[in-house]
């Protein structure tokens, strides 16, 4: 089904794969005979990929990398949804933004529903419309389209690059190299700065064969994710889809597979294009956006994944990750053994209730099915599901049973309109499905939350812990499995008994030709691109809060570890939950209250205590800390009722500072003066898998965070988010020498980040005896993070906001001279 070439490969004429190894050296010498030497051949072949051609054309340095070994990119368009664009616009406005320099599309598909008892979600939407008017952007109202459906229909085109503040920003099937990042990277583009990275590894995904009956894009995607996620093979790479099998796939199938490449941890994706994509773009009124993309001959790839589409079977990804993949037939045959293992691996030993789902003869009962979003809500997926359920006159057309529900969310109103015109919606509704508007809620726990111990099968993007909206901390737990729309429909037709579409007779091709009517957009979308109106005021609701002040990095840094996470991977959903917290994404302080709430509920309290002690040190110096530790107020008088527990944070800090005086007499710190900056920090083995949401980092900063320690960072996105918010991304090898509650003193940290030193000795201090004394328990060599010049400047400034605010102030002062 899949085979993985982990070394370099050459691809000749788009069809012949030759590994770059000693065994094939003679063959390669013959095939590369037209080049004067092996190095010249390799250089030309690396430039022959589709990916490299698009990257070079978007680099401000032209063909190739700059002197710093990096590409410096500018994108053709930007896209955000309604839990990211408020913070992005605010951050850019603080730096003097006057107009959007590139098309910026503001969509509304995450906080589409009103907040219970409040106006805060709609207040964000009004802000977005006002921002589009003021700065010259495009605004898509709620319920019209899922962000990625809209971008595919209206913006993606061959050879383009698009940057989005959502991790599933993937339009590679339409020839667009699209990247999902935290909001800080979009702020840089809005301020005409560049997106900087070393040229990523480029891995070919070589497709051959044609999918068998009943196999859809999610089946292919899960097979791919299952093969390469766990060992990090595709991490931060570009996946380039090519091979003869591409021609057998519809545009919707390609896009459905493409959007799921995010779950491999790759950086982006691109596909070769052909007449299928030409017809798609022409159908959507944009024939000029088509051009043929294919690899040159030869093209060199850093690895290759070979997928035989004909051998794919219907798949299922069980909790708690899209890589936890089984063939559906395997699960149906061995549900007991597999579910027992899933229960064993459940977070905190929670009882998922999966064994209760197994009935007579091993049949697995499902409580809920959902087809939705950028992955599931396409015309092709929904049409295939309706064909399986049958026509309104078909006696078998039923989602029989009150204890199983099926919800269908078309990805956009134009798709909804076409499905209504050709009778597909009528078939779905007649069969018992509930058809809803374009909304991303089922992907992140804000819609169709199952019952306690419920099992939901979904054609959406993720099934991380709590992604379905349950709250294990409150005794509520549910499970999500990912499946293709076709097998979800087969399960619905079986009354909720898990079934495979492979065994359902249906016609995969939709009845009649697909048409595209953009009337819903023409009547509702505000398009102000290129027409900013400086007189338009930004409209703020009461829940839209400003960012708190963030200090520049001090000369010496004292950190308290306030969370210590030993799970193999920590997702962004666990760092800052999705679901009900989404309504607070425009209110930094309110949102920060939810940080790590489902992974480490004590984190917020510990971080706040550290922040309060840090404020004492910053504003009143050591005298203020000692005074507070003794239970005295600013005037030095005793404060009645202030016991040891209330004095604890200040008492701990005072003890640590006294211990540092003994280690470094008279403040004689290496590489710096006597100034000490205090902040909190966390350790996680591999944090940041999944979403691009920058709030996973910004909430730590709002609570007084100064650094992360990790064995590795799960994605480039999360590491970039840390840096943009002034959190130093330290790496520690193996098991760290410190533990939760320890203090780490990093002398000369500013010089370390500046690049004046490659490493420092960090001292570890631990509180002993009820905060009366701090003991030095050892130290370790802490290496400087691998940083480029821009990243150093951001960390030294304390955040991207500080960095840009300073640049804007200097530029404004210069213009006034």
């Amino acid at each position: 089904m899949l085979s993985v070439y982990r070394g370099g490969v050459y691809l000749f004429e788009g069809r012949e794969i030759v590994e770059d190894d000693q065994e094939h050296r003679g063959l390669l010498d013959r095939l590369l005979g037209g080049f004067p030497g092996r190095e010249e051949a390799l250089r030309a072949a690396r430039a022959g990929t589709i990916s490299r051609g698009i990257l070079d054309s978007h680099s401000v340095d032209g063909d190739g990398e700059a002197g710093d070994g990096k590409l410096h990119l500018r994108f053709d368009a930007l896209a955000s949804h309604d839990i990211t664009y408020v913070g992005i616009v605010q951050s850019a406005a603080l730096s003097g933004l006057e107009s959007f320099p590139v098309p910026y599309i503001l969509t509304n598909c995450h906080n589409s529903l009103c907040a219970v008892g409040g106006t805060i979600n709609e207040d964000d939407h009004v802000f977005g419309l006002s921002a589009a008017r003021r700065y010259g952007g495009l605004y898509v109202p709620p319920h019209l389209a899922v962000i990625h459906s809209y971008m595919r229909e209206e913006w993606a085109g061959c050879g383009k690059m698009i940057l989005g503040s959502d991790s599933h920003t993937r339009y590679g099937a339409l020839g667009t190299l699209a990247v999902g990042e935290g909001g800080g990277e979009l702020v840089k583009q809005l301020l005409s700065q560049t997106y900087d990275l070393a040229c990523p590894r480029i891995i070919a995904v070589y497709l051959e064969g044609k999918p068998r009956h009943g196999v859809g894009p999610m089946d292919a995607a899960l097979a791919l994710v299952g093969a390469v996620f766990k060992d990090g093979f595709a991490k931060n790479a570009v996946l380039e889809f090519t091979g003869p099998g591409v021609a057998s796939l519809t545009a919707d199938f390609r896009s459905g597979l493409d959007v799921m490449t995010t779950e491999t941890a790759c950086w982006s994706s691109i596909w070769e294009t052909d007449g299928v994509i030409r017809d798609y773009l022409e159908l959507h009124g944009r024939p000029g956006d088509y051009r043929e993309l294919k690899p040159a001959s030869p093209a060199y790839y850093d690895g290759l994944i070979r997928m035989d589409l004909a051998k794919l079977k219907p798949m299922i990804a069980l909790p708690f990750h899209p890589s936890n993949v089984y063939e559906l037939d395997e699960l149906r045959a061995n549900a007991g053994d597999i579910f027992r293992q899933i229960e064993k691996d459940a977070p905190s030993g929670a009882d998922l209730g999966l064994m209760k789902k197994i009935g007579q003869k091993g049949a697995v009962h499902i409580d809920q099915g959902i087809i939705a979003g950028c992955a599931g809500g396409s015309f092709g997926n929904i049409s295939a599901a309706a064909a399986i359920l049958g026509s309104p006159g078909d006696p078998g057309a039923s989602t029989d049973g009150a204890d199983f529900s099926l919800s269908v969310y078309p990805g956009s109103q134009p798709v909804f309109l076409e499905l209504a015109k050709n009778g597909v919606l009528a078939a779905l509704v007649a069969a018992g499905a509930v058809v809803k508007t374009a909304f991303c809620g089922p992907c992140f726990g804000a819609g169709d939350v199952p019952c306690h111990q419920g099992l939901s099968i979904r054609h959406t993007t993720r099934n991380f812990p709590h992604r379905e909206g349950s709250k294990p901390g409150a005794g509520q737990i549910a499970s999500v499995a990912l499946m293709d729309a076709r097998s979800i429909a087969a399960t619905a037709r079986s009354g909720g008994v898990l079934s495979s579409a492979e065994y359902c007779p249906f016609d995969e091709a939709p009845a009649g030709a697909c048409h595209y009517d953009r009337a819903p957009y023409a009547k509702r979308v505000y398009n102000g691109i290129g027409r900013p109106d400086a007189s338009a005021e930004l409209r703020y609701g009461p829940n839209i809060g400003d960012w708190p002040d963030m200090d520049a990095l001090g000369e010496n840094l004292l950190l308290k570890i306030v969370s210590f996470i030993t799970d193999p991977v920590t997702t962004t959903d666990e760092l800052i939950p999705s679901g009900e917290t989404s309504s607070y994404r425009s209110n930094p302080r309110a949102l920060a209250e939810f940080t790590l709430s489902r992974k480490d509920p004590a984190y917020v309290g510990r971080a706040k205590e550290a922040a309060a002690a840090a404020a004492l040190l910053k504003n009143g110096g050591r005298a203020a800390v000692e005074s507070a530790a003794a239970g005295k107020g600013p005037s030095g008088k005793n404060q009645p009722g202030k016991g040891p527990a209330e004095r604890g944070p200040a008492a701990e800090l005072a003890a640590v500072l006294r211990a540092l005086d003994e280690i470094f007499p008279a403040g004689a710190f290496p590489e710096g003066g006597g100034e000490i900056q205090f902040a909190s920090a966390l350790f996680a083995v591999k944090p940041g898998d999944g979403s691009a949401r920058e709030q996973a980092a910004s909430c730590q900063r709002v609570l007084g965070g100064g650094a992360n320690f990790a064995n590795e960072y799960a994605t480039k996105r999360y590491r970039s988010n840390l840096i943009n918010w002034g959190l130093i991304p330290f790496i520690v090898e193996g098991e760290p020498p410190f533990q939760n509650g320890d203090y780490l003193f990093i002398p000369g940290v500013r010089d370390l980040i500046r690049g004046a030193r490659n490493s420092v000795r960090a001292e570890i201090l631990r509180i002993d005896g009820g905060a009366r004394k701090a003991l030095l328990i050892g130290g370790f060599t802490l290496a400087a993070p691998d940083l480029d010049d821009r990243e150093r400047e951001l960390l030294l400034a304390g955040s991207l906001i500080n960095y840009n605010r300073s640049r804007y102030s200097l530029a404004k002062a210069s213009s006034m001279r």
Side-chain angles (χ1 to χ4, degrees):
M1 185 167 64
L2 272 89
S3 54
V4 179
Y5 299 68
R6 299 188 181 276
V9 301
Y10 284 89
L11 186 64
F12 293 89
E13 301 299 331
R15 297 297 181 263
E16 184 177 3
I17 301 166
V18 182
E19 294 181 77
D20 185 20
D21 56 18
Q22 192 62 41
E23 180 182 348
H24 297 88
R25 186 55 51 89
L27 174 60
L28 282 174
D29 286 341
R30 290 195 299 276
L31 292 172
L32 297 173
F35 292 95
R38 177 58 68 92
E39 289 301 318
E40 290 81 357
L42 178 60
R43 191 178 305 111
R46 283 191 179 278
T49 62
I50 302 169
S51 307
R52 193 59 198 253
I54 296 175
L55 288 168
D56 286 347
S57 70
H58 286 79
S59 174
V60 299
D61 307 299
D63 186 9
E65 297 150 357
D68 61 0
K70 292 201 169 187
L71 296 164
H72 302 280
L73 305 173
R74 289 211 172 100
F75 290 79
D76 297 300
L78 311 177
S80 293
H81 50 60
D82 47 347
I83 57 175
T84 56
Y85 62 60
V86 174
I88 292 168
V89 171
Q90 283 182 298
S91 297
L94 283 171
S95 303
L97 176 71
E98 295 182 354
S99 64
F100 296 148
V102 294
Y104 188 17
I105 294 87
L106 310 179
T107 66
N108 295 275
C109 53
H110 279 58
N111 280 349
S112 304
L113 306 180
C114 68
V116 176
T119 66
I120 57 181
N121 286 349
E122 189 61 17
D123 288 346
D124 286 353
H125 301 156
V126 170
F127 175 93
L129 178 56
S130 71
R133 285 179 169 142
R134 180 177 179 86
Y135 298 114
L138 186 147
Y139 174 85
V140 183
H143 302 288
L144 275 191
V146 166
I147 178 173
H148 305 310
S149 296
Y150 183 81
M151 295 303 291
R152 290 176 196 145
E153 292 168 354
E154 294 285 303
W155 283 91
C158 301
K160 293 183 180 181
M161 288 195 73
I162 293 176
L163 182 66
S165 54
D166 183 270
S167 54
H168 290 96
T169 305
R170 292 285 188 270
Y171 317 125
L174 302 178
T176 296
L177 201 62
V179 180
E181 281 282 4
E185 296 303 319
L186 277 78
V187 171
K188 293 174 186 175
Q189 294 288 305
L190 292 176
L191 298 176
S192 298
Q193 298 164 9
T194 57
Y195 179 102
D196 308 330
L197 84 163
C199 187
R201 292 179 304 127
I202 300 171
I203 296 172
V205 182
Y206 187 85
L207 303 179
E208 51 195 344
K210 179 180 180 180
R212 69 174 71 190
H213 176 80
V215 168
M218 181 61 86
D219 299 314
L222 294 181
L224 177 64
V225 175
V228 302
F229 172 77
K230 291 177 182 176
D231 67 358
F233 177 63
K235 180 179 175 180
N236 295 331
V238 178
L239 296 184
E240 184 163 309
F241 288 77
T242 187
V246 172
S248 71
L249 305 178
T250 66
D252 274 358
F253 194 114
R254 298 181 200 186
S255 290
L257 167 53
D258 183 63
V259 75
M260 287 296 294
T261 60
T262 295
E263 304 313 319
T264 70
C266 73
W267 178 71
S268 188
S269 60
I270 194 70
W271 292 56
E272 65 176 64
T273 60
D274 56 15
V276 172
I277 302 306
R278 181 196 60 223
D279 293 345
Y280 176 93
L281 291 171
E282 185 173 349
L283 174 69
H284 288 78
R286 298 185 288 116
D289 280 339
Y290 176 75
R291 65 183 174 92
E292 185 183 55
L293 299 177
K294 63 179 182 180
S297 182
Y300 184 88
Y301 295 94
D302 297 292
L304 183 141
I305 303 161
R306 191 167 190 165
M307 179 186 291
D308 187 345
L309 297 168
K311 294 181 180 179
L312 293 176
K313 298 266 290 177
M315 311 291 285
I316 185 169
L318 292 172
F320 294 94
H321 198 274
S323 64
N324 193 17
V325 174
Y326 297 84
E327 288 188 353
L328 200 49
D329 284 349
E330 181 185 1
L331 175 62
R332 294 168 71 210
N334 302 286
D337 292 341
I338 294 171
F339 279 176
R340 269 187 287 271
Q341 186 62 48
I342 300 297
E343 292 273 11
K344 182 180 177 181
D345 295 339
S348 305
D351 181 7
L352 302 177
L354 292 177
M355 297 302 296
K356 302 172 187 175
K357 305 300 178 186
I358 303 174
Q360 293 182 350
K361 298 182 180 180
V364 176
H365 178 77
I366 306 297
D367 299 289
Q368 178 192 75
I370 297 175
I371 301 168
C374 57
S378 70
F379 178 82
N381 286 331
I382 295 173
S383 295
I388 290 171
L389 286 169
S391 65
D394 182 350
S398 175
T399 57
D400 209 14
D403 55 355
F404 175 84
S405 64
L406 176 63
S407 294
V408 178
Y409 296 76
S412 72
Q413 283 295 88
V415 169
F416 191 109
L417 180 59
E418 180 63 15
L419 294 171
K421 287 179 178 178
N422 68 11
V424 169
L425 290 189
L428 289 170
V429 173
V434 178
V435 182
K436 304 181 181 182
T437 57
F439 178 41
C440 295
C443 283
F444 65 96
D448 287 293
V449 179
C451 65
H452 175 61
Q453 294 186 332
L455 177 57
S456 178
I457 51 174
R458 303 188 178 192
H459 193 150
T460 58
T461 56
R462 288 195 172 127
N463 62 336
F464 291 171
H466 330 311
R467 189 79 180 189
E468 74 300 308
S470 66
K471 298 180 180 179
Q476 305 164 18
I477 187 73
S479 302
V480 164
L482 300 182
M483 284 171 51
D484 190 82
R486 293 150 186 79
S487 291
I488 292 174
T491 301
R493 183 162 181 139
S494 300
V497 174
L498 186 66
S499 302
S500 170
E502 184 178 2
Y503 310 115
C504 289
F506 72 100
D507 184 1
E508 174 75 34
C514 176
H515 300 88
Y516 179 72
D517 186 346
R518 68 181 311 277
Y521 295 154
K523 292 177 170 60
R524 295 292 317 284
V525 169
Y526 172 78
N527 187 351
I529 291 174
R531 296 181 287 109
D533 180 2
S535 67
E537 294 185 359
L538 294 177
R539 294 184 58 182
Y540 287 86
N543 186 59
I544 298 176
D546 293 326
W547 292 104
D549 291 336
M550 289 165 272
D551 294 328
L553 182 63
E555 294 294 338
N556 306 285
L557 185 60
L558 177 64
L559 296 168
K560 182 179 181 181
I561 303 298
V562 294
S563 186
F564 195 94
I565 304 170
T566 58
D567 292 353
V569 178
T570 303
T571 69
T572 48
D573 282 63
E574 293 169 311
L575 289 163
I576 183 65
S578 55
E580 80 281 6
T581 66
S582 298
S583 294
Y584 297 99
R585 296 286 178 84
S586 302
N587 189 329
R589 288 182 174 86
L591 181 65
E593 296 291 329
F594 295 92
T595 312
L596 280 168
S597 57
R598 295 175 184 171
K599 174 61 67 174
D600 183 359
Y603 167 80
V604 171
R606 295 192 199 109
K608 283 184 171 182
E609 288 179 347
L616 280 173
L617 181 62
K618 175 188 173 183
N619 297 323
R622 297 192 182 197
V625 175
E626 290 286 0
S627 182
K632 297 178 179 180
S635 64
K637 295 181 179 179
N638 290 329
Q639 290 185 307
K642 292 290 184 181
E646 294 169 282
R647 301 196 303 263
E652 283 193 9
L653 180 56
V656 170
L657 293 174
R658 289 194 294 269
L660 288 175
D661 286 340
E662 296 178 7
I663 302 168
F664 301 106
F669 304 131
E671 309 298 329
E675 175 210 354
I676 294 179
Q677 185 178 62
F678 180 45
S680 60
L682 63 79
F683 168 80
V685 174
K686 186 179 179 182
D689 182 32
S691 173
R693 76 178 65 122
E694 64 186 291
Q695 293 87 356
S698 66
C699 285
Q700 296 177 47
R701 188 68 165 137
V702 168
L703 292 169
N708 273 201
F709 293 87
N711 293 150
E712 67 173 302
Y713 294 96
T715 59
K716 175 200 172 294
R717 293 189 297 270
Y718 180 67
R719 185 181 180 278
S720 294
N721 287 337
L722 291 175
I723 292 170
N724 285 333
W725 287 104
L727 293 157
I728 306 173
F730 286 119
I731 291 288
V732 292
E733 300 292 338
E735 187 175 346
F738 51 84
Q739 63 187 36
N740 205 19
D742 282 352
Y743 288 77
L744 308 182
F745 180 60
I746 309 172
V749 69
R750 194 169 176 88
D751 283 344
L752 184 71
I753 298 304
R754 188 183 288 119
R757 300 190 65 180
N758 295 324
S759 64
V760 297
R761 177 180 169 83
E763 306 293 347
I764 306 171
L765 298 100
R766 189 168 296 161
I767 297 297
D768 179 62
R772 295 191 187 96
K773 189 175 182 181
L775 303 178
L776 176 66
I777 65 166
F780 65 103
T781 299
L782 185 61
D786 183 16
L787 303 167
D788 62 31
D789 289 344
R790 172 79 66 81
E791 291 170 336
R792 295 180 196 280
E793 291 175 352
L794 293 176
L795 289 173
L796 293 170
S799 69
L800 177 64
I801 289 176
N802 289 359
Y803 170 78
N804 282 323
R805 183 184 285 157
S806 175
R807 284 165 54 96
Y808 174 65
S809 298
L810 289 172
K812 188 174 182 181
S814 177
S815 67
M816 295 173 66
R817 291 193 186 111

